Amino acid sequence: MKEILKVENVTKSFKLSAKQRKIEKTDEKIKIAVSDLSFSAYEGEIFGLLGPNGAGKTTTLRILSTLIKPDSGDAFIKGISVVKEPDKVRNMVGFLTSELKLEDFFTPDFLYDFFSDMYKIPTDAREERKKYLFSKFGIDKFAGVKVANLSTGMKQKVSLVVSIAHDPDIIIFDEPTNGLDVITAKVVTDFLKELKEQGKTIILSTHIFSLVEKLCDRAGIIIDGVLTVCSDIETLTKDKSLEDVFFDLYYEKKGDSV
């Protein structure tokens, strides 16, 4: 298999405000969000990063997407460093996150053109891909409607479409079905399968066991910023369900603190 993504010993920490320390019930002023994280992903596979809220999944994906830099370590997309050459990496990846907020007064049509211009996509290619994606997700009927008047599901579809306007080879999704109704969630998961069939590499984070078992070829379980296990799904679920595997690891790590 051709290695597309390689994460090497990535560590990232954040300063905690007094309010954050109170919420997390800690006196520590620094939180290590990701600790010495390493894994790889290959061409044409879906890799799942599974863990509870606050485990370090989103931090990891934001590093891979060049939104933040690690304290130490590095990650490479097709051999290109996310730390040293972030501009080159951005042209190769698409990142969908719930943190992507679409401005209420813009339309899907305008947003798609705006993101396409950012990636310097020629007009002909832009229009052809927009027509395909808008039709695929049923956005075409709402292309001229302001975001403020779209349903939550339609906003998520628009976010997805604009994040892959440049047809990237590696696509990073943070909780791709979070907050979606069952119909929209199926549209998204079916599309992820199509992307895989096209040879795309997909990295997704989630806390939903069934989603990982259904979609992913391999997965890593991250707890408190540490990758506790990383393997193919068949190996992970050989003797027990993925949920049981996760909670065995979770309680082993947490011990009496749970």
Side-chain angles (χ1 to χ4, degrees):
M1 293 187 294
K2 183 178 180 181
E3 186 179 68
I4 299 296
L5 166 68
K6 187 174 182 64
V7 181
E8 293 186 338
N9 309 111
V10 165
T11 295
K12 180 65 178 178
S13 60
F14 296 98
K15 292 182 179 179
L16 293 177
S17 65
K19 182 177 180 180
Q20 289 172 321
R21 294 198 299 272
K22 184 177 181 180
I23 292 173
E24 299 205 12
K25 298 178 181 179
T26 180
D27 294 326
E28 299 293 331
K29 295 184 178 180
I30 301 293
K31 178 178 180 178
I32 299 176
V34 178
S35 178
D36 198 30
L37 184 69
S38 298
F39 67 90
S40 296
Y42 301 91
E43 185 176 53
E45 83 164 356
I46 301 179
F47 181 90
L49 201 57
L50 179 67
N53 292 337
K57 304 188 301 299
T58 296
T59 297
T60 300
L61 299 194
R62 291 177 70 191
I63 290 171
L64 299 183
S65 304
T66 75
L67 296 180
I68 58 174
K69 289 186 176 182
D71 298 338
S72 61
D74 204 344
F76 302 87
I77 308 291
K78 292 187 173 182
I80 299 175
S81 165
V82 303
V83 174
K84 297 178 180 178
E85 300 183 274
D87 289 341
K88 289 184 179 180
V89 169
R90 289 179 194 127
N91 287 325
M92 296 188 293
V93 304
F95 182 38
L96 176 65
T97 171
S98 58
E99 295 178 356
L100 176 60
K101 304 300 182 184
L102 304 177
E103 292 291 347
D104 284 347
F105 48 86
F106 289 140
T107 66
D109 195 56
F110 175 87
L111 288 167
Y112 188 92
D113 290 350
F114 175 80
F115 277 83
S116 295
D117 288 342
M118 283 180 55
Y119 289 107
K120 298 179 173 60
I121 301 172
T123 301
D124 290 347
R126 178 188 71 190
E127 291 302 317
E128 181 178 352
R129 184 161 174 78
K130 178 166 67 172
K131 182 178 180 181
Y132 163 71
L133 290 173
F134 275 31
S135 175
K136 178 76 177 177
F137 289 95
I139 300 172
D140 45 1
K141 300 175 183 178
F142 303 91
V145 178
K146 289 183 179 180
V147 168
N149 297 321
L150 298 177
S151 67
T152 299
M154 187 56 64
K155 290 178 183 177
Q156 183 79 333
K157 290 178 183 179
V158 174
S159 296
L160 188 157
V161 164
V162 299
S163 71
I164 58 171
H166 55 308
D167 196 18
D169 291 329
I170 181 166
I171 303 163
I172 302 170
F173 288 143
D174 189 12
E175 303 284 358
T177 61
N178 192 34
L180 299 183
D181 63 82
V182 292
I183 302 300
T184 305
K186 178 169 173 52
V187 171
V188 172
T189 55
D190 285 348
F191 186 61
L192 295 182
K193 293 177 184 178
E194 289 184 27
L195 292 173
K196 175 186 173 181
E197 291 172 0
Q198 295 171 15
K200 308 290 188 182
T201 301
I202 300 166
I203 312 297
L204 66 85
S205 77
T206 185
H207 59 275
I208 304 174
F209 302 107
S210 59
L211 186 65
V212 173
E213 291 178 313
K214 179 179 180 181
L215 290 179
C216 297
D217 301 286
R218 294 187 306 120
I221 295 176
I222 185 170
I223 301 172
D224 291 339
V226 177
L227 192 66
T228 58
V229 67
C230 182
S231 184
D232 62 272
I233 299 300
E234 184 176 348
T235 299
L236 283 174
T237 59
K238 182 177 181 180
D239 299 318
K240 56 183 69 174
S241 70
L242 186 59
E243 182 176 6
D244 287 340
V245 171
F246 170 81
F247 280 109
D248 284 349
L249 291 169
Y250 182 80
Y251 288 123
E252 179 181 342
K253 183 173 180 60
K254 290 293 188 177
D256 294 335
S257 65
V258 178

